[in-house]
Amino acid sequence: MHKKLLEQVYNTSDFNSNGHILIDQLSSHLEDKLSASSRNAINWNEPEKELEFWKKFLTNGDKKDLFLEITKRTTYVHHPNYMGHQVSPPAPVTALTGLISSLLNNGTAVYEMGMSSNAIERIIIELICEKIGFDDTSGGFLTSGGTLANLTALLSARKAITKRDIWNEGNQNQLGIMVSEEAHYCVDRAARIMGLGEQGIIKVPVTKEFRMDTDLLESKFKEAQEKGIEIFAIIGSAPSTATGIFDDLEVFGEFAKKQNIWFHVDGAHGGAGIFSKKYKHTLKGIELADSVVIDGHKMMMMPALTTALLYKNVVNANATFSQKADYLLTDSEHEDWYNSGKRTFECTKNMMAIHWFTMLKLYGEEVFDANVTHLYDLGAHFAHLIEKEPNFELALQPMSNIVCFRYCPANMDEEHINALNAKIRQSLLEDGEFYIVQTKLKGMHYMRITVMNPFTTDQHFKALIKKIKSFATR
Ligand SMILES: *Cc1c(COP(=O)(O)O)cnc(C)c1O
């Protein structure tokens, strides 16, 4: 009886026929979205209604509609009117590599459970390290997301910089990190997980241009020291998620060197700029970092989650989770690079390296330059359109494909402008033709786009602006 059910589960001919149907469905999903023959970027549904639908579906739904319903009831990241959160519309071939990874299920943590993916991962890591400007002592690994990568990097930093053996003895004194007040919330979360508490997160205010105000670095550092806080790391955003603004990595690097602390770059979004001839200047100073995070699933056309965490000195990657104190560690040559689980948070990890490798093999590294450069150019173009519109305003001059703006008619006070922009964004969501997001900067409500789809054009931008105007005057 049990055996029969299990035989059904593993039936290869079902896999084959369902697979062919699914690929056909997903192909037409892509064709519709890319040509925007379907109107909406999102078919918005209230959470309670969506829950109700799936409860009913589990009991009464037709099995053969399952995949199609899932596909329909999502946000269409491949739609050119999708300009919301910073996940990529994955290159279709990486959906196929995702399928390989899921079916083979090689856990990757030990070499024997992922021979190809461990070897491939090393090739990817070496390429990225070289692009950053690191030398032969560098190294790293792929891991499940920027959030986890930032936490891992801060654990490495603590191990490398603090004087005590915290891994064995626990936190002994108040430790701290320095970060811009506009940094991604996951940095704050990582610090709290590590037991730093609120007092251990030294938030440095930003300038009018939303960059961390580096003039305050020395005084903030001293102030913390006087309170008995041992600062072990400074984190630069490249760029900050909310604003799209890059911190001055060169200044951070020099400061970290002078104070003998760790310099971490959160390049989850914009780290991919190392591949862009036109925009790599946004990352000037990244080569000074002790560690760098770059998400493959944001600007590099891959499916979630796949993140590269790179170290200037690979010894620090090997040390993070080691029981041994820092000074007992052997140099990198003796560490077996092919057992990646020693360095990662994950035990079982999917074969994420194959997405990167397939992109490289099929399209060459210039594909990353093409994507980043084109999307940043589109961000600049959208900002230009906003500047020409009478009742619109940019929050700041964009440095990437993230653009924050608002509708602000003359003779309206701030409070009403905030309410109006929140209302417009909600109307856009419910309407569904476009998908954009929103953010609060210095107490002001902004609409926010991230151009993620290389097939978004001037026409799509103009249609969005037109729609915003029509909602605003309604
Ligand atoms: C997206 C993002 C993160 C979080 O990365 P995930 O891969 O979503 O976990 C962290 N920092 C920055 C700057 C980001 O843009």
Side-chain angles (χ1 to χ4, degrees):
M1 154 68 193
H2 289 309
K3 186 86 186 285
K4 222 161 167 194
L5 179 59
L6 295 176
E7 272 166 6
Q8 204 184 330
V9 170
Y10 287 92
N11 179 314
T12 322
S13 98
D14 281 357
F15 171 69
N16 188 278
S17 56
N18 287 337
H20 279 99
I21 295 169
L22 178 63
I23 292 289
D24 285 343
Q25 275 176 9
L26 291 177
S27 300
S28 60
H29 173 84
L30 283 179
E31 274 160 12
D32 279 3
K33 299 319 155 209
L34 290 175
S35 65
S37 68
S38 64
R39 175 186 176 271
N40 283 358
I42 180 170
N43 293 317
W44 170 248
N45 200 13
E46 299 287 341
E48 293 305 325
K49 286 192 193 147
E50 189 67 18
L51 179 63
E52 197 53 32
F53 173 85
W54 287 108
K55 278 185 177 164
K56 284 212 180 99
F57 192 92
L58 190 58
T59 40
N60 304 323
D62 190 334
K63 279 181 206 163
K64 72 176 189 321
D65 297 335
L66 174 59
F67 292 169
L68 199 58
E69 285 296 347
I70 294 173
T71 309
K72 269 191 348 210
R73 306 174 80 86
T74 47
T75 308
Y76 298 152
V77 297
H78 288 90
H79 199 298
N81 288 346
Y82 172 90
M83 307 171 202
H85 293 287
Q86 299 146 269
V87 288
S88 73
V93 72
T94 62
L96 300 180
T97 46
L99 180 63
I100 299 176
S101 172
S102 293
L103 193 88
L104 301 184
N105 225 15
N106 272 211
T108 299
V110 293
Y111 177 65
E112 294 147 40
M113 277 303 290
M115 294 179 288
S116 58
S117 48
N118 273 304
I120 286 172
E121 186 168 308
R122 174 154 172 173
I123 295 171
I124 299 302
I125 293 298
E126 283 179 358
L127 170 70
I128 303 173
C129 283
E130 185 205 310
K131 284 278 156 191
I132 289 175
F134 285 166
D135 64 20
D136 290 350
T137 57
S138 62
F141 48 82
L142 298 177
T143 190
S144 304
T147 299
L148 198 63
N150 281 325
L151 173 59
T152 311
L154 290 179
L155 287 168
S156 309
R158 186 175 69 178
K159 181 95 175 207
I161 302 292
T162 60
K163 309 288 173 294
R164 311 189 196 219
D165 182 9
I166 295 166
W167 196 250
N168 290 306
E169 290 160 23
N171 281 321
Q172 309 281 311
N173 58 335
Q174 176 66 54
L175 298 172
I177 57 168
M178 295 181 88
V179 65
S180 147
E181 63 176 351
E182 288 295 341
H184 193 272
Y185 73 90
C186 74
V187 172
D188 185 275
R189 191 177 277 182
R192 287 170 199 267
I193 291 170
M194 291 168 71
L196 271 53
E198 177 123 38
Q199 66 277 22
I201 306 162
I202 316 299
K203 290 212 166 130
V204 185
V206 293
T207 61
K208 274 206 321 293
E209 290 79 31
F210 292 93
R211 278 182 142 188
M212 183 202 272
D213 187 351
T214 48
D215 288 346
L216 301 174
L217 281 177
E218 293 288 351
S219 61
K220 285 275 177 189
F221 188 84
K222 245 179 112 192
E223 204 178 288
Q225 264 184 333
E226 278 158 14
K227 285 191 206 150
I229 302 170
E230 182 190 348
I231 291 179
F232 64 92
I234 180 168
I235 296 110
S237 304
S240 142
T241 302
T243 61
I245 294 301
F246 291 77
D247 282 327
D248 190 336
L249 303 181
E250 220 167 14
V251 173
F252 280 38
E254 283 154 16
F255 177 77
K257 190 162 180 207
K258 177 168 163 231
Q259 302 295 357
N260 198 19
I261 60 175
W262 188 274
F263 173 31
H264 175 64
V265 173
D266 179 2
H269 182 84
I274 51 172
F275 288 95
S276 167
K277 286 175 211 75
K278 183 168 172 188
Y279 289 106
K280 68 173 178 234
H281 67 86
T282 54
L283 297 165
K284 200 157 174 272
I286 194 173
E287 70 285 354
L288 303 174
D290 294 295
S291 55
V292 175
V293 160
I294 304 175
D295 274 352
H297 53 278
K298 284 187 172 159
M299 295 298 288
M300 301 181 76
M301 295 171 280
M302 288 174 230
L305 291 162
T306 180
T307 300
L309 172 53
L310 304 317
Y311 292 80
K312 170 173 274 159
N313 188 339
V314 73
V315 168
N316 292 311
N318 301 333
T320 316
F321 302 114
S322 163
Q323 303 295 337
K324 286 188 246 169
D326 217 8
Y327 55 88
L328 292 176
L329 279 162
T330 52
D331 59 299
S332 64
E333 273 161 10
H334 302 289
E335 287 291 329
D336 37 1
W337 59 266
Y338 40 81
N339 290 320
S340 75
K342 287 195 173 174
R343 289 168 287 275
T344 55
F345 228 105
E346 297 101 324
C347 175
T348 308
K349 177 177 101 179
N350 77 44
M351 301 170 69
M352 52 183 76
I354 62 177
H355 307 313
W356 302 69
F357 195 76
T358 302
M359 290 298 283
L360 275 179
K361 177 69 187 159
L362 297 191
Y363 310 110
E365 69 176 65
E366 55 275 18
V367 74
F368 301 129
D369 183 353
N371 195 53
V372 173
T373 303
H374 185 60
L375 294 177
Y376 282 19
D377 281 349
L378 284 172
H381 181 62
F382 181 76
H384 186 63
L385 294 178
I386 290 293
E387 278 179 319
K388 285 198 301 196
E389 287 291 334
N391 289 324
F392 285 76
E393 175 181 273
L394 290 174
L396 42 96
Q397 275 302 327
M399 292 174 82
S400 67
N401 52 334
I402 299 172
V403 187
C404 301
F405 65 103
R406 62 180 189 160
Y407 186 80
C408 57
N411 353 320
M412 194 184 268
D413 60 45
E414 281 298 325
E415 197 181 322
H416 284 96
I417 293 176
N418 281 344
L420 178 62
N421 280 275
K423 192 99 187 279
I424 293 171
R425 151 51 214 187
Q426 185 62 27
S427 306
L428 285 168
L429 178 66
E430 287 167 20
D431 173 77
E433 184 178 357
F434 295 89
Y435 181 69
I436 72 166
V437 293
Q438 58 194 344
T439 192
K440 269 224 152 88
L441 299 175
K442 298 196 187 289
M444 287 185 250
H445 201 104
Y446 288 97
M447 290 180 271
R448 175 174 168 278
I449 68 159
T450 309
V451 191
M452 294 306 288
N453 187 327
F455 301 102
T456 300
T457 64
D458 178 66
Q459 301 305 312
H460 300 105
F461 289 153
K462 285 179 175 154
L464 169 64
I465 292 170
K466 192 167 162 215
K467 185 143 229 166
I468 290 173
K469 282 194 218 162
S470 80
F471 283 145
T473 49
R474 215 166 52 187

